[in-house]
Amino acid sequence: AACGKCNTVCPVHDVRTTETMGPRGWYTLLTDPSLADEADASVRACLNCKSCRVVCPAGVDVSALVLDRRALRPDGAAGRLFRFQAERPRLFEGLVKTAARTRGLWDNKPGRILIEAASRAVFRKLGPRARIPRDMILPPLARRTLRERYASLAEEGGAKGRIAYFHGCAGNYFDDGVGDATIALLRHFGGDVVLPRQVCSGTPIETYGHVGLLRDRARVNIESLLRFETVVTACASCTLSLREYERLFEDAGWREKAGALRKRVRHIAEFLVHDMNVPPPKEEWSAGRVTYHSSCHMRAAGVTREPRELIRRIPGVEFVEMRDADRCAGGAGTYGIKDPETSTAVFERKRRGIEGSGADVVATSCPACMIQLESGLRGSRRVMHVAQVLAEAYGLPIAVTEGK
């Protein structure tokens, strides 16, 4: 940890600048027993972007040390939310749908002021500045979940096939078009796609220290997903999490199963390039100049070339590589709620890169990154998932869903 290369890519260190607010300092705090009392406050600032892990020439994974430390003191409020979602899924979905149907009543200036004030009390244990900011553009919530809209593809409806689409939480509960576009691509190029039985892949669960619950969720997903030849995701964090279940188990049997699953997991961009070897679209796509924000967890999962390659293939598209394309945008799942000020400060570097590119469209590979980009750019550019870019470029009907 002495060279400091990790600090050069850390989004927190970039805006906080002190040694204790960066991976090298965190490594010292976490490995020196005499500094244990100082560690908790500092490592709480980590976004878990894993950029330090990716660049470390010595293979030191400071992000893993941070997560191990958090596991010693799991966040109670987050744990209750995760268990509520897992144990009362119908009630949880009902609340999401109610929020979606009543959005006009609460997503306005007075409503958001009240929500910000109330959320300070609810989230006070996440961090001293935690809240739902009144100016944060929240993701579109689904009035009907993805599984309901595509009931004929859901395993509980009797669907069978070789390809499992692991939509994850965002894909199911957000109505952002990512799930629709991914399904359109899989149907067009892959054939028999199924929405398998699944639970949260575990990234947010581990972020807040609940390793036992993460292990339980991993067992459910492993048993369900191993019945399919290929498991496709459209979420960077889900891709990474599903590929790293082996580290959770000491039991040889579970490690073997987790290893088998790792080999079957593909992000949709990987699937289209390597498994399907899809041809370029035949018609020009008149979207103008397109740039790409490289999600942190996609880089940690080793997926960087494929999304860019697919965009470059599209006739009529001028692809431009933005400056700092591989730097974190500051969203990190719920980090924009946990510490809105730091999250916004981190995004400023990303904003400068996007504006400097002159792009009309900002593509990415992660729904969580889309939330941060939408909120930060305030409509100045179109933000799209790479699956949406491709579905439009191929002329696939992504707006038509079953029963919607």
Side-chain angles (χ1 to χ4, degrees), residues 95-236:
L95 292 173
V96 172
K97 293 173 189 176
T98 299
R101 293 186 179 114
T102 61
R103 186 159 189 158
L105 300 177
W106 56 264
D107 198 5
N108 48 52
K109 187 174 181 179
R112 292 299 297 273
I113 291 173
L114 289 173
I115 289 172
E116 182 178 61
S119 64
R120 285 183 185 275
V122 174
F123 299 137
R124 65 185 183 278
K125 291 187 177 180
L126 289 182
R129 298 188 288 189
R131 66 191 187 280
I132 300 176
R134 67 186 71 178
D135 59 347
M136 180 182 185
I137 297 178
L138 299 174
L141 301 173
R143 297 189 175 201
R144 302 183 72 218
T145 66
L146 188 80
R147 300 184 77 87
E148 291 173 328
R149 302 202 307 271
Y150 292 93
S152 67
L153 301 182
E155 189 178 6
E156 55 268 30
K160 298 183 183 300
R162 300 176 301 105
I163 302 168
Y165 171 34
F166 188 92
H167 49 67
C169 303
N172 198 35
Y173 299 131
F174 292 171
D175 194 12
D176 55 8
V178 175
D180 301 289
T182 303
I183 288 174
L185 290 166
L186 290 174
R187 279 174 153 174
H188 187 72
F189 292 112
D192 51 349
V193 58
V194 179
L195 306 183
R197 292 183 178 87
Q198 58 187 271
V199 293
C200 178
S201 66
T203 298
I205 296 173
E206 184 174 28
T207 296
Y208 289 101
H210 295 274
V211 179
L213 185 59
L214 166 64
R215 195 173 288 114
D216 292 340
R217 303 278 73 79
R219 289 191 181 99
V220 173
N221 285 329
I222 290 169
E223 294 285 24
S224 177
L225 300 176
L226 278 180
R227 296 170 298 138
F228 299 90
E229 292 181 16
T230 305
V231 179
V232 177
T233 78
C235 172

Side-chain angles (χ1 to χ4, degrees), residues 1-9 51-61:
C3 76
K5 190 173 184 179
C6 52
N7 280 357
T8 68
V9 298
S51 295
C52 55
R53 182 181 91 173
V54 171
V55 303
C56 182
V60 176
D61 189 352

Side-chain angles (χ1 to χ4, degrees), residues 360-371:
D360 304 293
V361 175
V362 182
T364 188
S365 297
C366 186
C369 290
M370 290 175 66
I371 298 172

Side-chain angles (χ1 to χ4, degrees), residues 71-92:
L72 298 176
R73 296 182 182 177
D75 182 87
R80 287 189 290 274
L81 176 61
F82 299 142
R83 287 188 174 86
F84 173 57
Q85 181 197 8
E87 296 169 3
R88 306 289 296 277
R90 290 191 177 184
L91 181 55
F92 182 85

Side-chain angles (χ1 to χ4, degrees), residues 329-350:
T334 57
Y335 197 87
I337 293 173
K338 179 181 176 181
D339 188 347
E341 283 73 23
T342 299
S343 177
T344 299
V346 169
F347 182 76
E348 285 308 305
R349 184 164 180 167
K350 181 62 62 176

Side-chain angles (χ1 to χ4, degrees), residues 231-303:
V231 179
V232 177
T233 78
C235 172
S237 295
C238 289
T239 304
L240 180 63
S241 187
L242 292 174
R243 285 179 172 173
E244 296 196 337
Y245 280 164
E246 284 174 270
R247 64 187 173 82
L248 300 175
F249 301 103
E250 294 181 2
D251 179 81
W254 279 107
R255 286 183 62 83
E256 183 178 353
K257 289 180 179 181
L261 176 61
R262 172 177 48 81
K263 297 174 183 178
R264 303 182 194 189
V265 175
R266 309 277 193 282
H267 187 271
I268 182 65
E270 293 179 292
F271 178 76
L272 295 175
V273 170
H274 300 301
D275 293 67
M276 294 291 101
N277 191 25
V278 298
K282 295 180 180 179
E283 304 293 331
E284 287 195 359
W285 188 52
S286 55
R289 181 176 289 186
V290 181
T291 193
Y292 179 72
H293 160 64
S294 181
S295 162
C296 301
H297 286 180
M298 282 284 278
R299 294 195 306 279
V303 186

